[in-house]
Amino acid sequence: MPRPLPIDPRGLALRLGATALLVTVAGCSSGAPRAPRDAAAPPPRVASFPKLVTAVDERLPIERYLLRDDQLDRLERARSTLVERCMEEFGFAYRMPRNDAGFRPKTRTQYRYWVTDESAARVHGYAPAGSDRTPRPPDQQQGTALPRTMALALGGTDDRTVKPGSEAAAGGQSVNGRTVPAGGCLGAANRRLKAGGPEAGGDAPQADRINRRGLDLARRDPRVIAAFARWSRCMEGKGYSYGTPVEAAGDPAWRTPEATPRERAVATADARCKKRHNVVGVWYAVDVAYQKRDIGKHAGQLARIQRDISERQRLAGAVLDGGR
């Protein structure tokens, strides 16, 4: 069936399931990743480095401009409600697929710096407890194809080269005596919730970029690189040869249905060496410094994003309270 526009923007190590996390990390560790355009700028100042074993209770500056899980869920429920009402008007008893949130970290920082909990690593390796190490095959994710007229009403197009619900899905067709809106019922729901465009109901692209860039720039920062070097020597002393924690977490050997004894041993050593050399404290402080610098550069745009989040939540609440 035509898939709804994706609205889970969490990316990177923040909101990914275990397998996606390991594949993402592996991609980062294979070869030199592309440096951001302004990577040559002087590193931001960090006054001090906190002593951290884990960052689970630490907040990121950019979080004020990103959706919380409850806000994201609220938008998704409202969007489903609007789509289903719209489809009823076309004479279809359609129910939106319910997104399985699956594994969710307690906070955005719980796994941002990968494995940090020694006791959990001893049992689960690099995959967070409760996550799915094996992604579903694509054919299980797509569902059953809809009849043509239902698909037209839902997505505004029957052109396989056009994404249903997108701005390119022009609509305008007649289905059961009614004119299909641009983007179909999906597009109409997005417009009602002010969720059209690149974010499609999720995080604003600028806020998401700052979130990702902080982590990306931090692991190229000389202070974090030095912490990684200390960590690497610690790991070597335990019999494991990895240049960085990113490389260790992304070892292709971990792509197994269950954590192997070696994965558990490496992950445990990883967490222990991070603790010994305050890798998380350094990494977090530098990550935060880059985020603050970017937030200062884009303060006006981010203020608008905050207002948009509040407005979209108000609109979602009105829908869920029965407003049409």
Side-chain angles (χ1 to χ4, degrees):
M1 61 173 283
R3 299 277 294 169
L5 294 179
I7 77 165
D8 182 15
R10 300 305 203 210
L12 228 60
L14 301 178
R15 307 284 171 175
L16 294 175
T19 302
L21 168 61
L22 297 183
V23 170
T24 298
V25 178
C28 292
S29 60
S30 58
R34 184 189 303 171
R37 283 178 293 179
D38 60 349
R45 181 176 178 272
V46 176
S48 62
F49 299 105
K51 290 284 186 182
L52 295 177
V53 175
T54 176
V56 64
D57 294 323
E58 307 301 322
R59 286 184 59 81
L60 298 167
I62 196 61
E63 286 190 50
R64 290 173 292 168
Y65 311 101
L66 298 170
L67 290 165
R68 302 188 308 268
D69 283 339
D70 64 301
Q71 293 175 322
L72 190 65
D73 291 343
R74 186 184 182 96
L75 281 169
E76 174 69 358
R77 291 196 306 273
R79 185 168 174 271
S80 294
T81 298
L82 288 171
V83 170
E84 290 168 8
R85 287 178 187 168
C86 174
M87 292 293 282
E88 285 177 8
E89 293 174 357
F90 281 95
F92 300 117
Y94 175 78
R95 292 295 173 262
M96 282 280 283
R98 297 303 186 247
N99 285 346
D100 178 10
F103 169 77
R104 278 178 168 173
K106 294 177 182 177
T107 65
R108 286 184 177 271
T109 48
Q110 185 177 10
Y111 295 103
R112 189 172 178 90
Y113 311 107
W114 286 270
V115 63
T116 58
D117 185 331
E118 197 175 319
S119 60
R122 197 174 294 118
V123 177
H124 303 288
Y126 280 99
S131 61
D132 185 3
R133 297 175 64 99
T134 308
R136 290 177 298 169
D139 61 338
Q140 292 182 23
Q141 298 175 7
Q142 296 301 319
T144 305
L146 295 178
R148 177 180 176 275
T149 54
M150 186 181 286
L152 271 175
L154 179 65
T157 182
D158 58 359
D159 184 342
R160 294 186 178 183
T161 66
V162 175
K163 186 173 185 178
S166 68
E167 294 177 359
Q173 306 91 340
S174 179
V175 173
N176 293 341
R178 298 181 65 90
T179 300
V180 176
C185 290
L186 292 172
N190 282 340
R191 287 190 294 276
R192 174 71 180 275
L193 296 171
K194 294 188 176 180
E199 65 264 39
D203 290 327
Q206 182 61 64
D208 190 46
R209 277 192 293 270
I210 292 173
N211 185 32
R212 293 168 181 267
R213 272 171 49 83
L215 190 62
D216 193 34
L217 288 169
R219 65 189 188 90
R220 293 179 172 81
D221 186 278
R223 294 159 292 191
V224 175
I225 290 172
F228 284 175
R230 294 189 292 272
W231 172 92
S232 181
R233 289 192 293 271
C234 176
M235 290 290 284
E236 190 171 352
K238 297 179 184 301
Y240 308 116
S241 179
Y242 294 101
T244 70
V246 179
E247 181 185 340
D251 192 326
W254 313 152
R255 299 177 196 170
T256 54
E258 301 290 338
T260 62
R262 178 174 174 82
E263 178 186 338
R264 294 195 296 269
V266 172
T268 301
D270 181 343
R272 192 171 294 163
C273 287
K274 281 193 179 95
K275 178 180 178 180
R276 179 176 299 174
H277 297 288
N278 194 33
V279 172
V280 176
V282 174
W283 203 347
Y284 169 75
V286 174
D287 186 3
V288 164
Y290 279 107
Q291 284 195 11
K292 285 182 176 179
R293 186 168 74 178
D294 271 354
I295 288 170
K297 290 179 180 178
H298 303 282
Q301 187 176 357
L302 291 168
R304 289 192 295 275
I305 287 169
Q306 270 191 318
R307 292 193 295 271
D308 287 346
I309 288 174
S310 296
E311 175 64 4
R312 287 158 63 198
Q313 290 297 301
R314 185 191 68 76
L315 293 169
V319 170
L320 295 173
D321 288 342
R324 302 186 74 87

